[in-house]
Amino acid sequence: MHGLRRVAHYKEFCMLNLKRLVQSFYCGAILSTNLRGYWTLIRCRGIASLCMTLLIMSGQGVAGEIEPRAYANTPIGINFLIAGYAYSDGGLSTEASSPIQDAELDISSEILAYARVFDVWGKSGKVDVILPYSQLSGSATVAGQTVERNVSGLNDPRLRFSVNFYGAPALSLPEFANYQQDLIIGASIQVSAPFGQYDNDKMVNLGNNRWFVKPDIGISKAWGNFSLECSSGVFLFSKNDDYFGGKTLDQDSVYSTQIHATYSFGRGIWAALSGTYDYGGRRAIDGVREKDAEDNLRVGATFALPVNRNNSIKLSASTPIQTSTGSDYDLIGIFWQYRWGKEL
């Protein structure tokens, strides 16, 4: 009962902070008057937003990602270094057939990422690599007994390549000053490598001990300071041949769709309200099909505030609206982003 009250109180805390985050959008617009001269660069896409996607719930899947402005245009030759902290509290929502029940997990993550924007045959392209390190603690019921889990280590690192092939030409920083977004269409491919912490005698781990590849396509349309972005992708998994004592874990593809409504207040301040829906991912263990397909809906908010020409801070939060399996957790985080490059 104590654990349930703690989770309930935490959810109230997250929802309160979401409301305060929305209110702070307007306060941020007022505070931006001393940031003249930063607008050309800082109105670029917020690379740090993608870091919030990396807090994965203990190898139970990779859905629940929320990333606004993934397909916005950015000047070529710009580098991004991102460092941040994210905290997740909640559990794994599982079907009755799963051996894990009533999981309550706390995960703290430190995240380091690097991204570079470059010219891809006259279009804006980007490559990014993300390295998260996490500490996990919590309890769950397995076969009628309560078990504890405390572990720290690397999560699976990710590498992604993306290109905007319509509406986002490759522009230098001076050229970008005159750029106005209309319609952008882009695509990306992301790879996750199985280098994270993994114990084959534990059911809850930070790493997944398998590869996944995620192709994705996105469309972003701007109307003045407001933009609407929609993207859709699919997670394709390799097998885990060393799952919980040497079993073979196979998982169907997870189909994911995101939608983001973003508003720019000027002077590099922007805010986004987002939603993501994930479906699929039914698993098979040693050929026996489980009844654990995902049918999950999450919402979140992101707020970006520039500090100076080279630095900015981002706040983000998300919470579940509907969960069938794998993403019944609340998430908050803060990220610092440093930019440097040619003509900056």
Side-chain angles (χ1 to χ4, degrees), residues 84-253:
Y85 172 81
Y87 175 76
S88 170
D89 178 276
L92 305 175
S93 178
T94 56
E95 295 287 342
S97 59
S98 172
I100 300 178
Q101 299 293 323
D102 301 324
E104 294 184 10
L105 303 175
D106 295 333
I107 306 178
S108 297
S109 292
E110 299 79 43
I111 299 167
L112 184 67
Y114 169 78
R116 179 174 175 82
V117 184
F118 53 93
D119 187 331
V120 183
W121 298 304
K123 305 298 181 182
S124 173
K126 176 177 67 73
V127 62
D128 55 70
V129 59
I130 308 168
L131 301 172
Y133 187 92
S134 298
Q135 301 82 39
L136 179 151
S137 63
S139 64
T141 301
V142 179
Q145 295 185 354
T146 300
V147 296
E148 301 285 337
R149 181 68 162 136
N150 292 278
V151 65
S152 61
L154 290 173
N155 293 69
D156 293 340
R158 297 194 188 186
L159 176 68
R160 180 170 60 175
F161 169 73
S162 60
V163 60
N164 291 323
F165 47 80
Y166 180 85
L171 301 172
S172 65
L173 185 58
E175 293 171 332
F176 194 81
N178 297 319
Y179 171 77
Q180 294 294 328
Q181 179 186 333
D182 184 19
L183 176 66
I184 293 177
I185 302 175
S188 68
I189 185 164
Q190 182 180 176
V191 178
S192 174
F195 300 149
Q197 175 277 328
Y198 186 81
D199 295 327
N200 67 353
D201 60 341
K202 305 293 185 182
M203 299 197 70
V204 175
N205 289 286
L206 296 171
N208 291 284
N209 196 42
R210 58 179 177 171
W211 296 80
F212 82 70
V213 177
K214 184 196 178 190
D216 189 272
I217 188 168
I219 299 175
S220 178
K221 171 65 176 175
W223 296 271
N225 291 342
F226 175 81
S227 65
L228 189 64
E229 181 181 295
C230 182
S231 64
S232 185
V234 55
F235 293 90
L236 306 171
F237 305 99
S238 68
K239 292 182 179 180
N240 179 357
D241 293 320
D242 196 18
Y243 175 74
F244 197 51
K247 299 181 177 65
T248 297
L249 171 66
D250 196 6
Q251 186 172 12
D252 293 343
S253 301

Side-chain angles (χ1 to χ4, degrees), residues 330-343:
D330 298 297
L331 175 64
I332 56 175
I334 182 170
F335 294 87
W336 163 80
Q337 178 174 272
Y338 176 73
R339 293 166 288 269
W340 77 98
K342 186 179 179 181
E343 300 174 321

